[in-house]
Amino acid sequence: MPPKPALKKQVEKTSHVHRASMMFRFFQKDDDDATTEAGDHGDEWMGGKQLVKPDDQLELNETELKEEFTRILTANNPHAPQNIIRYSFKEKQFKLIPSVDQLAVHFALDGNMLHKESDEARRQLIKKGLHQDEGGDAEGEKTAEAETETTADKADVETKEGESRGEDGSTPAPATTKAEKVTNQFNFSDRASQTYNNPYRERGSQTEPPPRINFSDNVTQWVIFDAYKEDFAKTQEKNKEKKVLPGRKEEDKSKKKLTAVDAQGDDVTKISRAAKIVERMVNQNTYDDVAQDFKYWEDVSDEYRDQEGTLLPLWKFSHDRSKKLAITSICFSPKYRDLFAVGHGSYDFMKQTRGMILFYSFKNPSFPEYVFSTESGVMCLDIHPEHPYLVAVGFYDGSVGVFNVTESSKGPIYQSTAKNGKHTDPVWQVRWQKDDLDNNLNFFSVSSDGRIVSWVLVKNELLYNDIIQLKLDDIPADGPDGTKLITLGCGTCFDFHQQQDYLFLVGTEEGKIHKCSKAYSTQFLDTFNAHHMAVYRVSWNPYHPKIFITCSADWTVKIWDHTSQEALFTFDLSSSVGDVAWAPYSSTVFAAVTADGKVFIYDLNVNKYEAICEQAIVAKKKTKLTHVSFNPTHPVVVVGDDRGYVTALKLSPNLRKVPKVKKGQTIEFTPEAEIAKLDKILSLVREPENTKKKESSSS
């Protein structure tokens, strides 16, 4: 009889339990036997170990074996880069980083373990219900043992209950326990914040409407005809103004209102001043490094030089329309110390074109302040000392003119013509003089035609008066009708005495220097055989009333005393000297420029034989320097060349050095002190001459 299904299931379950207990006992017995065998034969296994010596092992004695070798292990990463470069915003340059991170991370894993004594661990234990008060290590161990016993008893009870329930044939119901949710198992914190939103604000503004004018008119053929007539009459008036003699001033100075035809185009005169200020601001930012050098640079290396100095190039002035036109004259404004006028022309008499007058300022080196174009080349100019807006100009065609910078007209307000005493040859120099007895402005000019002319500005006319003619000492030549022709010398330069207005010096193309007076128009006061070639510049010393300087194409610069026929100093510059100028801050310093592109600075108080600075300025070898001028207040010298460029150079401290003084003494910068300083140097040269005179008188 087959067993019942319930009884069959119980038998199978009992047999499975029996098999599992038998297998457990068998494996336990095998483990005990294995441990017993290992314990019995442990010594034999240890004794079977042998040391095998390699064939290539070195044989060392006791001292070698006892020798210690030190090996230092560092934590530096061999693969760490050593040339990391980063930009330093503080020093404004790229710099090498000396410290490099040597840490090498091979493996990193974020864990979720907490220390049992931490606040977060206690909170989690409280939520799980497993937290107990800490009463010591022993209590903790007892609690752990008690818990293990309790869990073991519970397991036995459950097994017995399961067997009994299995015998009854009923399936045990699973224990329903409510799982507690761990909100912060991995120590995460959820936080949120909300920023404050500013309220919206609406702003509005309303401007005044522009003024409006309602205009209406009827256009007929007669209105159009009248408009054409007015336009034609205006063009005729403009043509007549161009044909007016340049020696007469414009009579009509009243400004007419612009009509609708003339008002076409953009009128920028209202914002011209603001635009000029903005332009200077932009240029100041563009040339900031040059402006800083102009104001603060001092060559520190002068301390290590033996009485020598240098020139620092600052700005380079040029204009597109004046390129390839030589610099023929440079003159600083007596009122505005940063403003200077430059004349452009040509010294190549076979290639004579137009000319230009440009006014440059240190505040705006990119573009000239004023521009005037002339039909003939400009050979010289001079700014009035009391009225800096008036500029006297001499041209290549022999005419002279006066420009007014403040007027809108681009032409001269006064100009000489063939009818009112125009020169027949180029005018080489002009110079303003003090007002005459009638308080009229006047200036002098010298030309290659041998005439020195005085020009007086009277109302609308330019009146002239011949002061003196530069007659040569040669025998007059016979003319075709038996008349005697007097040959005249070619005047190239002149200069007026600063204290005695009637006294002036004239340099000629024959190399002679004539001392003249305004009171004598027929003869010279004295004549110096100064040079062998043309004299390019003659200039009185600004402090000493007896000393003047000359330069010539015969490569020499000479210093003279107008009471002596022989030169006090002679300097050979190995090239044609284009110009020479005294320094305004010292009676012993002067500068000269040569045709080989060099600037020479001399200081007789430092070195009486050689220049304390010799520096090439131009980049190209064929470029010639033509003129030089000192700034009246700043330690800056301005140099012009034959390609239309003007370069500003700053003098180093050694070039404007103050003489050393004994302790306790103070230097007072007075004209008397400068005269005494120059006399002390000249006394070394004058002594032999005085002794010669004494010897000749005694004999």
Side-chain angles (χ1 to χ4, degrees):
M1 182 176 181
K4 294 181 180 180
L7 184 61
K8 187 177 180 180
K9 290 181 181 179
Q10 186 176 0
V11 171
E12 290 178 356
K13 188 173 183 181
T14 308
S15 62
H16 287 311
V17 172
H18 180 68
R19 288 174 191 169
S21 62
M22 291 294 290
M23 290 180 68
F24 176 74
R25 291 172 183 171
F26 176 75
F27 284 116
Q28 187 176 8
K29 184 178 181 181
D30 292 344
D31 293 340
D32 295 339
D33 296 341
T35 29
T36 307
E37 291 176 0
D40 296 340
H41 303 284
D43 298 336
E44 296 177 359
W45 180 78
M46 290 295 292
K49 241 180 174 183
Q50 293 182 359
L51 297 175
V52 180
K53 182 179 179 180
D55 297 335
D56 56 348
Q57 182 175 351
L58 296 176
E59 295 181 1
L60 305 175
N61 51 21
E62 292 183 0
T63 57
E64 292 177 347
L65 290 172
K66 291 180 180 180
E67 186 178 359
E68 294 182 358
F69 293 93
T70 305
R71 295 288 185 270
I72 299 175
L73 300 179
T74 60
N76 294 336
N77 184 8
H79 301 290
Q82 301 296 332
N83 54 354
I84 297 178
I85 295 176
R86 288 192 175 92
Y87 185 78
S88 174
F89 290 92
K90 181 179 179 181
E91 301 181 5
K92 296 183 179 181
Q93 63 179 353
F94 288 92
K95 296 197 67 177
L96 180 67
I97 297 177
S99 60
V100 182
D101 189 11
Q102 302 291 340
L103 180 64
V105 180
H106 299 285
F107 179 75
L109 180 65
D110 296 333
N112 55 1
M113 299 182 67
L114 299 173
H115 197 273
K116 65 179 182 179
E117 295 181 357
S118 63
D119 295 337
E120 184 64 28
R122 289 176 181 175
R123 284 196 295 269
Q124 292 188 14
L125 290 174
I126 291 172
K127 289 182 180 180
K128 289 182 179 181
L130 301 176
H131 182 70
Q132 297 180 1
D133 294 333
E134 297 178 356
D137 297 336
E139 292 181 0
E141 291 177 358
K142 291 178 181 180
T143 308
E145 291 177 359
E147 286 178 358
T148 52
E149 291 177 358
T150 308
T151 51
D153 295 340
K154 286 182 180 180
D156 295 339
V157 172
E158 288 177 356
T159 306
K160 292 177 181 179
E161 288 179 357
E163 291 178 357
S164 62
R165 287 176 183 174
E167 291 175 357
D168 296 340
S170 61
T171 306
T176 58
T177 58
K178 188 176 180 180
E180 295 182 0
K181 184 179 179 182
V182 181
T183 58
N184 196 7
Q185 187 175 1
F186 299 103
N187 196 16
F188 292 157
S189 60
D190 297 336
R191 295 173 183 174
S193 63
Q194 187 174 4
T195 59
Y196 177 73
N197 296 326
N198 294 322
Y200 292 102
R201 297 178 181 177
E202 294 183 359
R203 295 180 180 178
S205 61
Q206 186 175 3
T207 60
E208 296 181 359
R212 297 180 181 180
I213 297 175
N214 296 326
F215 175 77
S216 61
D217 194 5
N218 295 325
V219 179
T220 61
Q221 293 181 355
W222 295 109
V223 174
I224 297 174
F225 179 76
D226 292 340
Y228 274 106
K229 280 288 187 182
E230 291 179 2
D231 189 17
F232 181 74
K234 290 178 182 178
T235 54
Q236 292 294 328
E237 289 179 0
K238 290 181 180 179
N239 294 333
K240 288 181 181 179
E241 290 175 0
K242 292 181 180 179
K243 294 180 180 180
V244 170
L245 293 176
R248 297 181 180 178
K249 200 174 183 179
E250 297 176 357
E251 296 179 357
D252 189 9
K253 292 185 178 180
S254 61
K255 297 181 180 179
K256 298 180 180 180
K257 295 183 180 180
L258 295 174
T259 58
V261 180
D262 296 333
Q264 293 179 356
D266 297 333
D267 186 12
V268 296
T269 56
K270 297 180 180 179
I271 61 170
S272 60
R273 181 176 178 81
K276 183 175 289 187
I277 294 173
V278 173
E279 183 184 15
R280 289 187 176 182
M281 293 170 61
V282 172
N283 279 282
Q284 186 176 4
N285 294 332
T286 305
Y287 300 97
D288 180 64
D289 52 346
V290 182
Q292 296 291 337
D293 291 341
F294 165 74
K295 189 68 176 177
Y296 303 108
W297 178 84
E298 298 292 347
D299 195 353
V300 186
S301 60
D302 275 11
E303 299 178 1
Y304 308 99
R305 292 192 179 96
D306 187 15
Q307 300 177 349
E308 294 182 355
T310 56
L311 297 172
L312 176 68
L314 296 177
W315 299 283
K316 196 169 187 178
F317 302 90
S318 63
H319 188 50
D320 294 337
R321 296 173 57 191
S322 65
K323 288 182 178 179
K324 297 182 180 180
L325 291 176
I327 304 295
T328 56
S329 183
I330 299 175
C331 182
F332 274 94
S333 174
K335 183 177 180 180
Y336 305 100
R337 301 304 188 183
D338 62 308
L339 188 68
F340 61 96
V342 177
H344 289 268
S346 177
Y347 287 120
D348 188 357
F349 304 136
M350 302 301 294
K351 298 179 181 178
Q352 285 297 324
T353 56
R354 56 184 177 84
M356 293 193 72
I357 303 171
L358 304 178
F359 283 80
Y360 289 107
S361 174
F362 291 160
K363 299 177 182 178
N364 184 10
S366 62
F367 198 81
E369 298 292 322
Y370 302 98
V371 179
F372 296 94
S373 298
T374 59
E375 297 179 358
S376 180
V378 177
M379 305 309 293
C380 56
L381 55 84
D382 188 33
I383 301 176
H384 199 282
E386 297 179 359
H387 307 285
Y389 55 88
L390 294 178
V391 183
V393 183
F395 298 98
Y396 176 78
D397 60 359
S399 61
V400 295
V402 177
F403 287 80
N404 191 343
V405 180
T406 58
E407 291 191 359
S408 59
S409 61
K410 295 299 181 181
I413 57 175
Y414 298 94
Q415 188 169 0
S416 64
T417 60
K419 294 182 179 180
N420 56 0
K422 170 185 171 182
H423 289 283
T424 57
D425 283 336
V427 180
W428 292 109
Q429 193 169 356
V430 292
R431 184 63 58 89
W432 287 101
Q433 293 297 301
K434 293 183 179 179
D435 297 349
D436 58 7
L437 299 177
D438 296 331
N439 293 328
N440 293 324
L441 300 175
N442 66 95
F443 64 93
F444 280 61
S445 65
V446 61
S447 172
S448 297
D449 60 1
R451 297 165 55 212
I452 296 178
V453 183
S454 171
W455 305 90
V456 183
L457 283 63
V458 180
K459 294 185 179 180
N460 301 334
E461 295 181 348
L462 192 62
L463 304 180
Y464 76 99
N465 181 26
D466 287 347
I467 298 299
I468 195 171
Q469 291 185 345
L470 305 177
K471 299 178 182 179
L472 297 178
D473 297 335
D474 299 338
I475 301 174
D478 295 333
D481 300 334
T483 58
K484 300 293 184 179
L485 298 179
I486 301 174
T487 56
L488 300 177
C490 299
T492 55
C493 56
F494 67 165
D495 191 25
F496 289 84
H497 201 278
Q498 296 183 357
Q499 298 176 2
Q500 302 172 0
D501 297 335
Y502 62 89
L503 189 64
F504 63 95
L505 299 170
V506 182
T508 64
E509 194 172 345
E510 294 77 24
K512 295 183 179 182
I513 303 292
H514 299 294
K515 184 167 66 171
C516 308
S517 174
K518 297 179 183 178
Y520 299 96
S521 60
T522 57
Q523 61 181 0
F524 309 127
L525 299 180
D526 201 353
T527 301
F528 304 88
N529 293 320
H531 297 275
H532 302 288
M533 298 180 69
V535 180
Y536 287 153
R537 179 69 65 187
V538 57
S539 177
W540 288 99
N541 189 285
Y543 296 97
H544 204 291
K546 294 183 179 181
I547 305 302
F548 65 92
I549 192 171
T550 61
C551 70
S552 171
D554 62 358
W555 301 5
T556 60
V557 174
K558 296 184 180 182
I559 298 177
W560 303 79
D561 186 343
H562 76 90
T563 60
S564 176
Q565 284 290 328
E566 294 184 4
L568 301 177
F569 291 98
T570 302
F571 303 97
D572 189 353
L573 304 187
S574 302
S575 184
S576 177
V577 185
D579 194 7
V580 68
W582 290 103
Y585 55 85
S586 176
S587 62
T588 60
V589 179
F590 63 92
V593 292
T594 58
D596 57 355
K598 291 183 179 180
V599 178
F600 294 82
I601 306 293
Y602 285 86
D603 190 351
L604 301 178
N605 194 35
V606 176
N607 193 334
K608 297 183 288 295
Y609 308 102
E610 295 179 354
I612 59 175
C613 178
E614 177 183 349
Q615 189 168 332
I617 301 302
V618 295
K620 297 181 180 180
K621 295 182 179 179
K622 295 183 180 180
T623 305
K624 300 177 182 179
L625 296 181
T626 56
H627 285 276
V628 62
S629 180
F630 280 91
N631 187 277
T633 55
H634 303 293
V636 175
V637 62
V638 176
V639 177
D641 57 30
D642 61 348
R643 295 182 181 271
Y645 292 96
V646 180
T647 307
L649 308 167
K650 185 173 183 179
L651 304 171
S652 65
N654 277 359
L655 302 182
R656 41 193 168 92
K657 186 183 295 184
V658 179
K660 295 182 180 179
V661 184
K662 296 180 181 179
K663 293 183 178 180
Q665 294 182 356
T666 57
I667 297 178
E668 295 182 359
F669 185 78
T670 58
E672 291 78 10
E674 291 296 326
I675 294 173
K677 181 174 69 173
L678 185 56
D679 277 336
K680 183 179 179 181
I681 299 170
L682 297 178
S683 63
L684 303 175
V685 184
R686 288 172 175 167
E687 284 179 358
E689 296 181 359
N690 296 334
T691 55
K692 288 181 181 179
K693 291 180 180 179
K694 290 180 181 179
E695 291 177 358
S696 61
S697 61
S698 62
S699 60

